[in-house]
Amino acid sequence: MDDTQEPRWLDLDEQRTFMAFAYMLVQLPAAFDAFLQRTAGISLFEYQIIAALSVAPERTARLSRLAEFTASSLSRLSNGVTRLEERGWMRRTPDPDDGRYTLGVLTDAGWDKVLAASPGHLGEVRRLVLDPLTKVQQQQLHRISERIMRVVEPDKPPINDRLRDLPHLRGRPTHAEPQCLEQPVEATQDS
Amino acid sequence: MDDTQEPRWLDLDEQRTFMAFAYMLVQLPAAFDAFLQRTAGISLFEYQIIAALSVAPERTARLSRLAEFTASSLSRLSNGVTRLEERGWMRRTPDPDDGRYTLGVLTDAGWDKVLAASPGHLGEVRRLVLDPLTKVQQQQLHRISERIMRVVEPDKPPINDRLRDLPHLRGRPTHAEPQCLEQPVEATQDS
DNA sequence: AAAGATTGAAATTTCAATCTTT
DNA sequence: AAAGATTGAAATTTCAATCTTT
């Protein structure tokens, strides 16, 4: 963003900043994974898959998209989906638009599972990430995350834009509880 | 930090903040892992082990400490160390202070490996994390990371404090290049 | 007994084919 | 041929013993 030369080493402040950040980067997902495993009997990876489906149009997404979203290989994702199918939480179906794609669809049981696991997980999100920060820090964290991802994925728009442009989930209450995962549902439409 | 009631769901801003953050949390380590694998033939997990040793007193640390640092099980760490031993980069030795512990020691070849892999990795750190942020954002990221980790690990001091209190690595140049990993070396002593 | 570490078996992930559809 | 997905074999990780030292 600022200097174009080739600085081999980080200065002291940069080292400390990165060490604090990198340490969090390793520890926090492990904390979420352990929590989900303990409270919902599901790994963070599997939760991410069904949570993504729960906010997708028709609760359906291409496996390749899910692989991107979870930063996993198609192979790993395929195996994960097989496991989730065996548990009855999702199923596969070929994409009618292009037979090369396979769609993953969340089942009703999968939807129930997301609804059951989410409050606890989001409680941890609040406890570990949101509550410790001031409002300003939350906003900064949002901006910082987007700035970093803009470099990691130069060709892709911000994740929230990608999720928001799902023109879906309109009148689909299906369950009494609002879902409010990582992605707004009804609120999405009019913002 | 602010409210003590039990809010089940996140509001729209909170959802977006967390989605942007969580997405980075998944994608960024994958990017570092892929980079290290490609440029140094080593996983992020393995790099973290030898990099931690390279800044430790006597280039030595207990395996249980390394497991904590890498957020991995002792079993996983033990297997990883075996692999690194097979590659000649570290070796085990019983802790003379307490025979229950096993110490991991970085070999000279391991030190060389860290020196060979670090510039590239730190270049990625700069490119993906530091350069996209303003100075203020870098400082915020440091503080945010520490605030979050203070809740994740309530009993532990900040990671940078834990690393700094290693009274070590004084006159131990051994190699021409400065190392400057995620942790200062000479600078550590007089700060 | 408790803490740290290791081990074998099972589960998961990676890697390199292979398969299917376009 | 190219893109997406799956599969089997190999590598890694997890889980539940087991082992060693205190």
Side-chain angles (χ1 to χ4, degrees), chain A residues 41-66:
Chain A
I42 195 176
S43 69
L44 178 58
F45 173 56
E46 291 166 332
Y47 176 78
Q48 285 176 317
I49 295 171
I50 58 176
L53 287 176
S54 78
V55 295
E58 313 295 324
R59 294 178 194 161
T60 297
R62 292 174 170 174
L63 299 197
S64 45
R65 288 310 199 96
L66 292 172

Side-chain angles (χ1 to χ4, degrees), chain B residues 11-78:
Chain B
D11 70 29
L12 191 58
D13 274 354
E14 289 173 325
Q15 288 174 40
R16 292 208 174 123
T17 294
F18 181 68
M19 178 50 90
F21 175 59
Y23 188 64
M24 178 190 70
L25 218 54
V26 168
Q27 302 291 326
L28 194 53
F32 286 132
D33 190 67
F35 181 86
L36 278 165
Q37 203 79 62
R38 180 162 51 79
T39 63
I42 194 176
S43 69
L44 178 59
F45 173 57
E46 292 165 332
Y47 176 79
Q48 284 175 318
I49 295 172
I50 59 176
L53 288 175
S54 77
V55 296
E58 313 295 324
R59 293 179 195 161
T60 297
R62 292 173 170 174
L63 298 198
S64 43
R65 290 309 200 95
L66 292 172
E68 283 176 42
F69 182 73
T70 57
S72 75
S73 66
L74 218 30
S75 176
R76 182 190 184 201
L77 189 95
S78 180

Side-chain angles (χ1 to χ4, degrees), chain B residues 93-157:
Chain B
T93 189
D95 188 336
D97 294 346
D98 184 335
R100 286 177 298 185
Y101 290 92
T102 300
L103 299 177
V105 185
L106 195 67
T107 62
D108 287 347
W111 173 260
D112 290 345
K113 182 64 188 175
V114 173
L115 286 188
S118 292
H121 176 60
L122 296 180
E124 278 295 277
V125 166
R126 181 179 286 291
R127 188 174 75 86
L128 298 181
V129 177
L130 297 171
D131 284 353
L133 304 180
T134 67
K135 196 75 195 160
V136 170
Q137 286 177 321
Q138 290 178 12
Q139 292 162 348
Q140 276 296 326
L141 183 59
H142 189 157
R143 290 200 196 90
I144 287 169
S145 301
E146 289 193 338
R147 280 204 177 201
I148 290 173
M149 287 314 299
R150 199 179 301 151
V151 180
V152 175
E153 301 182 321
D155 302 328
K156 296 185 186 171

